[in-house]
Amino acid sequence: MAKWNVALSTTEPYNYVGMIQVRQGNKNSETMAATISQNGIPVALSRGKAYLEAILSNGFAIQRAVKIIDAKNGKIQYTFDEYSMQALHRQTANFVFYHGEDQIATTHDYSYFVIKEVSIKEGDMGSYWQPVEALLAAMVAF
């Protein structure tokens, strides 16, 4: 199930998708579904491939495979992964579509925001998570 459902166009000058905010480190839960149209008509994606392309705020450009959910009605789904969430803050992206080796269309750009994960991974500045109960037990023992 998608967290965000948006409509994107290959012909409209601006795609407003609202606030797409993904948390860095979330695995398989930050999913976006999109309906792709061209001149108000769904883009037929049968026999094609779709990719997310993004220029990240850290300077890297990525291309990640997108799942085509309903080819006839132009519906796709993308689950953000460690590559698309590697840089924090505002990222610029679009979807690109191919038939064979030929690029047939791209959506106009849209933005998504990556926010820092709450937990600190082991080894980062020596910090770690401790349950409140364990902290209280340590204080009582002291």
PDB file of all heavy atoms in Angstrom, residues 36-73:
ATOM      1  N   ILE A  36       0.512   8.416 -14.230  1.00  0.00           N
ATOM      2  CA  ILE A  36       1.227   9.231 -15.207  1.00  0.00           C
ATOM      3  C   ILE A  36       0.290   9.554 -16.364  1.00  0.00           C
ATOM      4  O   ILE A  36      -0.316   8.655 -16.944  1.00  0.00           O
ATOM      5  CB  ILE A  36       2.475   8.496 -15.737  1.00  0.00           C
ATOM      6  CG1 ILE A  36       3.316   7.933 -14.573  1.00  0.00           C
ATOM      7  CG2 ILE A  36       3.293   9.397 -16.637  1.00  0.00           C
ATOM      8  CD1 ILE A  36       3.799   8.952 -13.575  1.00  0.00           C
ATOM      9  N   SER A  37       0.208  10.846 -16.697  1.00  0.00           N
ATOM     10  CA  SER A  37      -0.645  11.249 -17.821  1.00  0.00           C
ATOM     11  C   SER A  37       0.131  12.112 -18.803  1.00  0.00           C
ATOM     12  O   SER A  37       1.166  12.693 -18.461  1.00  0.00           O
ATOM     13  CB  SER A  37      -1.871  12.007 -17.313  1.00  0.00           C
ATOM     14  OG  SER A  37      -1.476  13.241 -16.746  1.00  0.00           O
ATOM     15  N   GLN A  38      -0.393  12.175 -20.001  1.00  0.00           N
ATOM     16  CA  GLN A  38       0.156  13.025 -21.059  1.00  0.00           C
ATOM     17  C   GLN A  38      -1.040  13.687 -21.740  1.00  0.00           C
ATOM     18  O   GLN A  38      -1.923  12.990 -22.243  1.00  0.00           O
ATOM     19  CB  GLN A  38       0.953  12.190 -22.052  1.00  0.00           C
ATOM     20  CG  GLN A  38       1.626  13.000 -23.120  1.00  0.00           C
ATOM     21  CD  GLN A  38       2.593  12.131 -23.931  1.00  0.00           C
ATOM     22  OE1 GLN A  38       2.775  10.948 -23.688  1.00  0.00           O
ATOM     23  NE2 GLN A  38       3.212  12.745 -24.907  1.00  0.00           N
ATOM     24  N   ASN A  39      -1.091  15.020 -21.686  1.00  0.00           N
ATOM     25  CA  ASN A  39      -2.233  15.774 -22.215  1.00  0.00           C
ATOM     26  C   ASN A  39      -3.543  15.287 -21.605  1.00  0.00           C
ATOM     27  O   ASN A  39      -4.561  15.175 -22.283  1.00  0.00           O
ATOM     28  CB  ASN A  39      -2.290  15.703 -23.739  1.00  0.00           C
ATOM     29  CG  ASN A  39      -1.093  16.369 -24.383  1.00  0.00           C
ATOM     30  OD1 ASN A  39      -0.651  17.432 -23.933  1.00  0.00           O
ATOM     31  ND2 ASN A  39      -0.555  15.753 -25.418  1.00  0.00           N
ATOM     32  N   GLY A  40      -3.511  14.955 -20.305  1.00  0.00           N
ATOM     33  CA  GLY A  40      -4.709  14.544 -19.592  1.00  0.00           C
ATOM     34  C   GLY A  40      -5.120  13.102 -19.791  1.00  0.00           C
ATOM     35  O   GLY A  40      -6.118  12.651 -19.232  1.00  0.00           O
ATOM     36  N   ILE A  41      -4.370  12.332 -20.567  1.00  0.00           N
ATOM     37  CA  ILE A  41      -4.694  10.926 -20.847  1.00  0.00           C
ATOM     38  C   ILE A  41      -3.611  10.054 -20.212  1.00  0.00           C
ATOM     39  O   ILE A  41      -2.418  10.343 -20.351  1.00  0.00           O
ATOM     40  CB  ILE A  41      -4.756  10.677 -22.373  1.00  0.00           C
ATOM     41  CG1 ILE A  41      -5.830  11.562 -22.997  1.00  0.00           C
ATOM     42  CG2 ILE A  41      -5.009   9.209 -22.675  1.00  0.00           C
ATOM     43  CD1 ILE A  41      -5.790  11.594 -24.510  1.00  0.00           C
ATOM     44  N   PRO A  42      -3.998   8.963 -19.512  1.00  0.00           N
ATOM     45  CA  PRO A  42      -2.983   8.088 -18.924  1.00  0.00           C
ATOM     46  C   PRO A  42      -2.007   7.566 -19.977  1.00  0.00           C
ATOM     47  O   PRO A  42      -2.405   7.217 -21.088  1.00  0.00           O
ATOM     48  CB  PRO A  42      -3.807   6.936 -18.337  1.00  0.00           C
ATOM     49  CG  PRO A  42      -5.151   7.510 -18.110  1.00  0.00           C
ATOM     50  CD  PRO A  42      -5.359   8.514 -19.214  1.00  0.00           C
ATOM     51  N   VAL A  43      -0.740   7.537 -19.620  1.00  0.00           N
ATOM     52  CA  VAL A  43       0.307   7.043 -20.514  1.00  0.00           C
ATOM     53  C   VAL A  43       0.301   5.512 -20.485  1.00  0.00           C
ATOM     54  O   VAL A  43       0.356   4.916 -19.417  1.00  0.00           O
ATOM     55  CB  VAL A  43       1.694   7.578 -20.087  1.00  0.00           C
ATOM     56  CG1 VAL A  43       2.801   6.960 -20.913  1.00  0.00           C
ATOM     57  CG2 VAL A  43       1.739   9.090 -20.171  1.00  0.00           C
ATOM     58  N   ALA A  44       0.226   4.891 -21.654  1.00  0.00           N
ATOM     59  CA  ALA A  44       0.280   3.426 -21.744  1.00  0.00           C
ATOM     60  C   ALA A  44       1.720   2.976 -21.535  1.00  0.00           C
ATOM     61  O   ALA A  44       2.620   3.412 -22.247  1.00  0.00           O
ATOM     62  CB  ALA A  44      -0.245   2.961 -23.099  1.00  0.00           C
ATOM     63  N   LEU A  45       1.931   2.131 -20.554  1.00  0.00           N
ATOM     64  CA  LEU A  45       3.289   1.708 -20.193  1.00  0.00           C
ATOM     65  C   LEU A  45       3.553   0.238 -20.485  1.00  0.00           C
ATOM     66  O   LEU A  45       4.539  -0.310 -20.015  1.00  0.00           O
ATOM     67  CB  LEU A  45       3.526   1.992 -18.708  1.00  0.00           C
ATOM     68  CG  LEU A  45       3.382   3.454 -18.281  1.00  0.00           C
ATOM     69  CD1 LEU A  45       3.465   3.574 -16.770  1.00  0.00           C
ATOM     70  CD2 LEU A  45       4.431   4.319 -18.958  1.00  0.00           C
ATOM     71  N   SER A  46       2.687  -0.392 -21.263  1.00  0.00           N
ATOM     72  CA  SER A  46       2.889  -1.811 -21.559  1.00  0.00           C
ATOM     73  C   SER A  46       4.176  -1.999 -22.362  1.00  0.00           C
ATOM     74  O   SER A  46       4.554  -1.155 -23.169  1.00  0.00           O
ATOM     75  CB  SER A  46       1.695  -2.389 -22.313  1.00  0.00           C
ATOM     76  OG  SER A  46       1.449  -1.646 -23.474  1.00  0.00           O
ATOM     77  N   ARG A  47       4.826  -3.117 -22.101  1.00  0.00           N
ATOM     78  CA  ARG A  47       6.114  -3.460 -22.731  1.00  0.00           C
ATOM     79  C   ARG A  47       7.186  -2.414 -22.456  1.00  0.00           C
ATOM     80  O   ARG A  47       8.151  -2.310 -23.194  1.00  0.00           O
ATOM     81  CB  ARG A  47       5.943  -3.669 -24.233  1.00  0.00           C
ATOM     82  CG  ARG A  47       5.025  -4.812 -24.593  1.00  0.00           C
ATOM     83  CD  ARG A  47       4.985  -5.059 -26.085  1.00  0.00           C
ATOM     84  NE  ARG A  47       4.927  -3.853 -26.883  1.00  0.00           N
ATOM     85  CZ  ARG A  47       3.807  -3.272 -27.327  1.00  0.00           C
ATOM     86  NH1 ARG A  47       2.652  -3.784 -27.039  1.00  0.00           N
ATOM     87  NH2 ARG A  47       3.856  -2.187 -28.062  1.00  0.00           N
ATOM     88  N   GLY A  48       7.024  -1.639 -21.416  1.00  0.00           N
ATOM     89  CA  GLY A  48       8.000  -0.604 -21.111  1.00  0.00           C
ATOM     90  C   GLY A  48       8.650  -0.803 -19.758  1.00  0.00           C
ATOM     91  O   GLY A  48       8.310  -1.714 -19.009  1.00  0.00           O
ATOM     92  N   LYS A  49       9.592   0.059 -19.469  1.00  0.00           N
ATOM     93  CA  LYS A  49      10.276   0.078 -18.184  1.00  0.00           C
ATOM     94  C   LYS A  49      10.181   1.494 -17.636  1.00  0.00           C
ATOM     95  O   LYS A  49      10.144   2.463 -18.396  1.00  0.00           O
ATOM     96  CB  LYS A  49      11.745  -0.312 -18.337  1.00  0.00           C
ATOM     97  CG  LYS A  49      11.947  -1.739 -18.762  1.00  0.00           C
ATOM     98  CD  LYS A  49      13.422  -2.048 -18.884  1.00  0.00           C
ATOM     99  CE  LYS A  49      13.626  -3.450 -19.429  1.00  0.00           C
ATOM    100  NZ  LYS A  49      15.022  -3.742 -19.689  1.00  0.00           N
ATOM    101  N   ALA A  50      10.167   1.604 -16.318  1.00  0.00           N
ATOM    102  CA  ALA A  50      10.089   2.909 -15.668  1.00  0.00           C
ATOM    103  C   ALA A  50      11.192   3.013 -14.622  1.00  0.00           C
ATOM    104  O   ALA A  50      11.552   2.020 -13.985  1.00  0.00           O
ATOM    105  CB  ALA A  50       8.720   3.089 -15.017  1.00  0.00           C
ATOM    106  N   TYR A  51      11.711   4.221 -14.466  1.00  0.00           N
ATOM    107  CA  TYR A  51      12.771   4.478 -13.500  1.00  0.00           C
ATOM    108  C   TYR A  51      12.536   5.807 -12.804  1.00  0.00           C
ATOM    109  O   TYR A  51      12.016   6.745 -13.408  1.00  0.00           O
ATOM    110  CB  TYR A  51      14.148   4.546 -14.190  1.00  0.00           C
ATOM    111  CG  TYR A  51      14.544   3.274 -14.868  1.00  0.00           C
ATOM    112  CD1 TYR A  51      14.244   3.071 -16.210  1.00  0.00           C
ATOM    113  CD2 TYR A  51      15.207   2.266 -14.177  1.00  0.00           C
ATOM    114  CE1 TYR A  51      14.599   1.894 -16.848  1.00  0.00           C
ATOM    115  CE2 TYR A  51      15.568   1.081 -14.811  1.00  0.00           C
ATOM    116  CZ  TYR A  51      15.257   0.907 -16.146  1.00  0.00           C
ATOM    117  OH  TYR A  51      15.605  -0.261 -16.784  1.00  0.00           O
ATOM    118  N   LEU A  52      12.954   5.876 -11.548  1.00  0.00           N
ATOM    119  CA  LEU A  52      13.044   7.146 -10.844  1.00  0.00           C
ATOM    120  C   LEU A  52      14.432   7.688 -11.130  1.00  0.00           C
ATOM    121  O   LEU A  52      15.414   6.946 -11.024  1.00  0.00           O
ATOM    122  CB  LEU A  52      12.875   6.952  -9.338  1.00  0.00           C
ATOM    123  CG  LEU A  52      13.234   8.190  -8.517  1.00  0.00           C
ATOM    124  CD1 LEU A  52      11.992   8.768  -7.862  1.00  0.00           C
ATOM    125  CD2 LEU A  52      14.270   7.860  -7.475  1.00  0.00           C
ATOM    126  N   GLU A  53      14.517   8.943 -11.509  1.00  0.00           N
ATOM    127  CA  GLU A  53      15.803   9.613 -11.656  1.00  0.00           C
ATOM    128  C   GLU A  53      15.808  10.768 -10.677  1.00  0.00           C
ATOM    129  O   GLU A  53      14.815  11.475 -10.547  1.00  0.00           O
ATOM    130  CB  GLU A  53      15.985  10.151 -13.069  1.00  0.00           C
ATOM    131  CG  GLU A  53      16.107   9.083 -14.113  1.00  0.00           C
ATOM    132  CD  GLU A  53      16.361   9.646 -15.501  1.00  0.00           C
ATOM    133  OE1 GLU A  53      15.922  10.772 -15.811  1.00  0.00           O
ATOM    134  OE2 GLU A  53      16.990   8.930 -16.286  1.00  0.00           O
ATOM    135  N   ALA A  54      16.921  10.933  -9.971  1.00  0.00           N
ATOM    136  CA  ALA A  54      17.000  12.012  -8.987  1.00  0.00           C
ATOM    137  C   ALA A  54      18.389  12.614  -8.992  1.00  0.00           C
ATOM    138  O   ALA A  54      19.383  11.927  -9.188  1.00  0.00           O
ATOM    139  CB  ALA A  54      16.650  11.502  -7.596  1.00  0.00           C
ATOM    140  N   ILE A  55      18.404  13.919  -8.788  1.00  0.00           N
ATOM    141  CA  ILE A  55      19.649  14.641  -8.540  1.00  0.00           C
ATOM    142  C   ILE A  55      19.619  14.951  -7.054  1.00  0.00           C
ATOM    143  O   ILE A  55      18.763  15.722  -6.595  1.00  0.00           O
ATOM    144  CB  ILE A  55      19.722  15.948  -9.345  1.00  0.00           C
ATOM    145  CG1 ILE A  55      19.407  15.694 -10.798  1.00  0.00           C
ATOM    146  CG2 ILE A  55      21.027  16.661  -9.084  1.00  0.00           C
ATOM    147  CD1 ILE A  55      20.544  15.555 -11.728  1.00  0.00           C
ATOM    148  N   LEU A  56      20.497  14.333  -6.302  1.00  0.00           N
ATOM    149  CA  LEU A  56      20.476  14.463  -4.851  1.00  0.00           C
ATOM    150  C   LEU A  56      21.251  15.687  -4.388  1.00  0.00           C
ATOM    151  O   LEU A  56      22.146  16.172  -5.087  1.00  0.00           O
ATOM    152  CB  LEU A  56      21.033  13.197  -4.212  1.00  0.00           C
ATOM    153  CG  LEU A  56      20.337  11.896  -4.630  1.00  0.00           C
ATOM    154  CD1 LEU A  56      21.007  10.704  -3.987  1.00  0.00           C
ATOM    155  CD2 LEU A  56      18.859  11.944  -4.293  1.00  0.00           C
ATOM    156  N   SER A  57      20.920  16.136  -3.197  1.00  0.00           N
ATOM    157  CA  SER A  57      21.562  17.338  -2.662  1.00  0.00           C
ATOM    158  C   SER A  57      23.050  17.122  -2.368  1.00  0.00           C
ATOM    159  O   SER A  57      23.796  18.079  -2.216  1.00  0.00           O
ATOM    160  CB  SER A  57      20.836  17.818  -1.406  1.00  0.00           C
ATOM    161  OG  SER A  57      20.867  16.819  -0.404  1.00  0.00           O
ATOM    162  N   ASN A  58      23.504  15.868  -2.322  1.00  0.00           N
ATOM    163  CA  ASN A  58      24.933  15.606  -2.117  1.00  0.00           C
ATOM    164  C   ASN A  58      25.711  15.583  -3.437  1.00  0.00           C
ATOM    165  O   ASN A  58      26.883  15.267  -3.469  1.00  0.00           O
ATOM    166  CB  ASN A  58      25.135  14.298  -1.348  1.00  0.00           C
ATOM    167  CG  ASN A  58      24.628  13.076  -2.087  1.00  0.00           C
ATOM    168  OD1 ASN A  58      24.199  13.146  -3.236  1.00  0.00           O
ATOM    169  ND2 ASN A  58      24.666  11.929  -1.418  1.00  0.00           N
ATOM    170  N   GLY A  59      25.010  15.886  -4.555  1.00  0.00           N
ATOM    171  CA  GLY A  59      25.667  15.966  -5.854  1.00  0.00           C
ATOM    172  C   GLY A  59      25.572  14.711  -6.701  1.00  0.00           C
ATOM    173  O   GLY A  59      25.913  14.733  -7.876  1.00  0.00           O
ATOM    174  N   PHE A  60      25.119  13.605  -6.123  1.00  0.00           N
ATOM    175  CA  PHE A  60      25.000  12.359  -6.873  1.00  0.00           C
ATOM    176  C   PHE A  60      23.708  12.328  -7.676  1.00  0.00           C
ATOM    177  O   PHE A  60      22.701  12.880  -7.274  1.00  0.00           O
ATOM    178  CB  PHE A  60      25.037  11.145  -5.945  1.00  0.00           C
ATOM    179  CG  PHE A  60      26.362  10.938  -5.290  1.00  0.00           C
ATOM    180  CD1 PHE A  60      26.496  11.065  -3.911  1.00  0.00           C
ATOM    181  CD2 PHE A  60      27.492  10.619  -6.029  1.00  0.00           C
ATOM    182  CE1 PHE A  60      27.712  10.882  -3.290  1.00  0.00           C
ATOM    183  CE2 PHE A  60      28.711  10.435  -5.420  1.00  0.00           C
ATOM    184  CZ  PHE A  60      28.821  10.567  -4.048  1.00  0.00           C
ATOM    185  N   ALA A  61      23.753  11.652  -8.810  1.00  0.00           N
ATOM    186  CA  ALA A  61      22.560  11.399  -9.619  1.00  0.00           C
ATOM    187  C   ALA A  61      22.305   9.898  -9.555  1.00  0.00           C
ATOM    188  O   ALA A  61      23.238   9.098  -9.615  1.00  0.00           O
ATOM    189  CB  ALA A  61      22.779  11.846 -11.050  1.00  0.00           C
ATOM    190  N   ILE A  62      21.034   9.520  -9.403  1.00  0.00           N
ATOM    191  CA  ILE A  62      20.693   8.098  -9.317  1.00  0.00           C
ATOM    192  C   ILE A  62      19.582   7.763 -10.299  1.00  0.00           C
ATOM    193  O   ILE A  62      18.827   8.638 -10.724  1.00  0.00           O
ATOM    194  CB  ILE A  62      20.243   7.703  -7.891  1.00  0.00           C
ATOM    195  CG1 ILE A  62      18.984   8.476  -7.489  1.00  0.00           C
ATOM    196  CG2 ILE A  62      21.359   7.893  -6.893  1.00  0.00           C
ATOM    197  CD1 ILE A  62      18.256   7.875  -6.321  1.00  0.00           C
ATOM    198  N   GLN A  63      19.500   6.490 -10.650  1.00  0.00           N
ATOM    199  CA  GLN A  63      18.395   5.962 -11.441  1.00  0.00           C
ATOM    200  C   GLN A  63      18.017   4.626 -10.806  1.00  0.00           C
ATOM    201  O   GLN A  63      18.846   3.734 -10.700  1.00  0.00           O
ATOM    202  CB  GLN A  63      18.781   5.766 -12.904  1.00  0.00           C
ATOM    203  CG  GLN A  63      17.605   5.328 -13.766  1.00  0.00           C
ATOM    204  CD  GLN A  63      17.993   5.122 -15.218  1.00  0.00           C
ATOM    205  OE1 GLN A  63      18.790   4.238 -15.526  1.00  0.00           O
ATOM    206  NE2 GLN A  63      17.437   5.935 -16.094  1.00  0.00           N
ATOM    207  N   ARG A  64      16.743   4.508 -10.368  1.00  0.00           N
ATOM    208  CA  ARG A  64      16.262   3.319  -9.677  1.00  0.00           C
ATOM    209  C   ARG A  64      15.032   2.770 -10.375  1.00  0.00           C
ATOM    210  O   ARG A  64      14.167   3.526 -10.809  1.00  0.00           O
ATOM    211  CB  ARG A  64      15.921   3.634  -8.215  1.00  0.00           C
ATOM    212  CG  ARG A  64      17.044   4.285  -7.426  1.00  0.00           C
ATOM    213  CD  ARG A  64      18.249   3.415  -7.258  1.00  0.00           C
ATOM    214  NE  ARG A  64      17.919   2.246  -6.461  1.00  0.00           N
ATOM    215  CZ  ARG A  64      18.618   1.135  -6.469  1.00  0.00           C
ATOM    216  NH1 ARG A  64      19.687   1.026  -7.222  1.00  0.00           N
ATOM    217  NH2 ARG A  64      18.250   0.120  -5.733  1.00  0.00           N
ATOM    218  N   ALA A  65      14.919   1.461 -10.473  1.00  0.00           N
ATOM    219  CA  ALA A  65      13.787   0.815 -11.140  1.00  0.00           C
ATOM    220  C   ALA A  65      12.491   1.092 -10.388  1.00  0.00           C
ATOM    221  O   ALA A  65      12.465   1.172  -9.166  1.00  0.00           O
ATOM    222  CB  ALA A  65      14.018  -0.686 -11.233  1.00  0.00           C
ATOM    223  N   VAL A  66      11.421   1.236 -11.156  1.00  0.00           N
ATOM    224  CA  VAL A  66      10.082   1.501 -10.636  1.00  0.00           C
ATOM    225  C   VAL A  66       9.175   0.356 -11.073  1.00  0.00           C
ATOM    226  O   VAL A  66       9.302  -0.152 -12.182  1.00  0.00           O
ATOM    227  CB  VAL A  66       9.554   2.853 -11.183  1.00  0.00           C
ATOM    228  CG1 VAL A  66       8.102   3.064 -10.834  1.00  0.00           C
ATOM    229  CG2 VAL A  66      10.406   3.997 -10.676  1.00  0.00           C
ATOM    230  N   LYS A  67       8.263  -0.042 -10.214  1.00  0.00           N
ATOM    231  CA  LYS A  67       7.321  -1.111 -10.533  1.00  0.00           C
ATOM    232  C   LYS A  67       6.116  -0.534 -11.284  1.00  0.00           C
ATOM    233  O   LYS A  67       5.514   0.445 -10.843  1.00  0.00           O
ATOM    234  CB  LYS A  67       6.837  -1.774  -9.238  1.00  0.00           C
ATOM    235  CG  LYS A  67       5.999  -3.009  -9.471  1.00  0.00           C
ATOM    236  CD  LYS A  67       5.415  -3.570  -8.185  1.00  0.00           C
ATOM    237  CE  LYS A  67       6.486  -3.935  -7.185  1.00  0.00           C
ATOM    238  NZ  LYS A  67       5.909  -4.530  -5.958  1.00  0.00           N
ATOM    239  N   ILE A  68       5.789  -1.118 -12.429  1.00  0.00           N
ATOM    240  CA  ILE A  68       4.594  -0.725 -13.176  1.00  0.00           C
ATOM    241  C   ILE A  68       3.445  -1.559 -12.638  1.00  0.00           C
ATOM    242  O   ILE A  68       3.445  -2.777 -12.759  1.00  0.00           O
ATOM    243  CB  ILE A  68       4.786  -0.913 -14.689  1.00  0.00           C
ATOM    244  CG1 ILE A  68       5.911   0.007 -15.185  1.00  0.00           C
ATOM    245  CG2 ILE A  68       3.484  -0.637 -15.431  1.00  0.00           C
ATOM    246  CD1 ILE A  68       6.309  -0.199 -16.632  1.00  0.00           C
ATOM    247  N   ILE A  69       2.461  -0.902 -12.031  1.00  0.00           N
ATOM    248  CA  ILE A  69       1.338  -1.575 -11.384  1.00  0.00           C
ATOM    249  C   ILE A  69       0.204  -1.843 -12.372  1.00  0.00           C
ATOM    250  O   ILE A  69      -0.377  -2.918 -12.384  1.00  0.00           O
ATOM    251  CB  ILE A  69       0.808  -0.725 -10.209  1.00  0.00           C
ATOM    252  CG1 ILE A  69       1.902  -0.475  -9.180  1.00  0.00           C
ATOM    253  CG2 ILE A  69      -0.407  -1.368  -9.549  1.00  0.00           C
ATOM    254  CD1 ILE A  69       2.447  -1.704  -8.529  1.00  0.00           C
ATOM    255  N   ASP A  70      -0.143  -0.838 -13.159  1.00  0.00           N
ATOM    256  CA  ASP A  70      -1.239  -0.938 -14.136  1.00  0.00           C
ATOM    257  C   ASP A  70      -0.773  -0.233 -15.404  1.00  0.00           C
ATOM    258  O   ASP A  70      -0.909   0.980 -15.543  1.00  0.00           O
ATOM    259  CB  ASP A  70      -2.496  -0.288 -13.568  1.00  0.00           C
ATOM    260  CG  ASP A  70      -3.702  -0.385 -14.499  1.00  0.00           C
ATOM    261  OD1 ASP A  70      -3.553  -0.816 -15.663  1.00  0.00           O
ATOM    262  OD2 ASP A  70      -4.803  -0.008 -14.053  1.00  0.00           O
ATOM    263  N   ALA A  71      -0.209  -1.001 -16.335  1.00  0.00           N
ATOM    264  CA  ALA A  71       0.394  -0.429 -17.542  1.00  0.00           C
ATOM    265  C   ALA A  71      -0.610   0.307 -18.412  1.00  0.00           C
ATOM    266  O   ALA A  71      -0.304   1.365 -18.968  1.00  0.00           O
ATOM    267  CB  ALA A  71       1.078  -1.528 -18.359  1.00  0.00           C
ATOM    268  N   LYS A  72      -1.809  -0.204 -18.524  1.00  0.00           N
ATOM    269  CA  LYS A  72      -2.826   0.408 -19.382  1.00  0.00           C
ATOM    270  C   LYS A  72      -3.245   1.792 -18.877  1.00  0.00           C
ATOM    271  O   LYS A  72      -3.482   2.705 -19.660  1.00  0.00           O
ATOM    272  CB  LYS A  72      -4.051  -0.507 -19.459  1.00  0.00           C
ATOM    273  CG  LYS A  72      -5.148  -0.001 -20.358  1.00  0.00           C
ATOM    274  CD  LYS A  72      -6.325  -0.955 -20.406  1.00  0.00           C
ATOM    275  CE  LYS A  72      -7.428  -0.398 -21.261  1.00  0.00           C
ATOM    276  NZ  LYS A  72      -8.610  -1.268 -21.246  1.00  0.00           N
ATOM    277  N   ASN A  73      -3.307   1.940 -17.552  1.00  0.00           N
ATOM    278  CA  ASN A  73      -3.758   3.202 -16.951  1.00  0.00           C
ATOM    279  C   ASN A  73      -2.629   4.070 -16.417  1.00  0.00           C
ATOM    280  O   ASN A  73      -2.868   5.014 -15.662  1.00  0.00           O
ATOM    281  CB  ASN A  73      -4.775   2.917 -15.850  1.00  0.00           C
ATOM    282  CG  ASN A  73      -6.043   2.320 -16.428  1.00  0.00           C
ATOM    283  OD1 ASN A  73      -6.629   2.881 -17.349  1.00  0.00           O
ATOM    284  ND2 ASN A  73      -6.454   1.177 -15.908  1.00  0.00           N
TER     285      ASN A  73
END
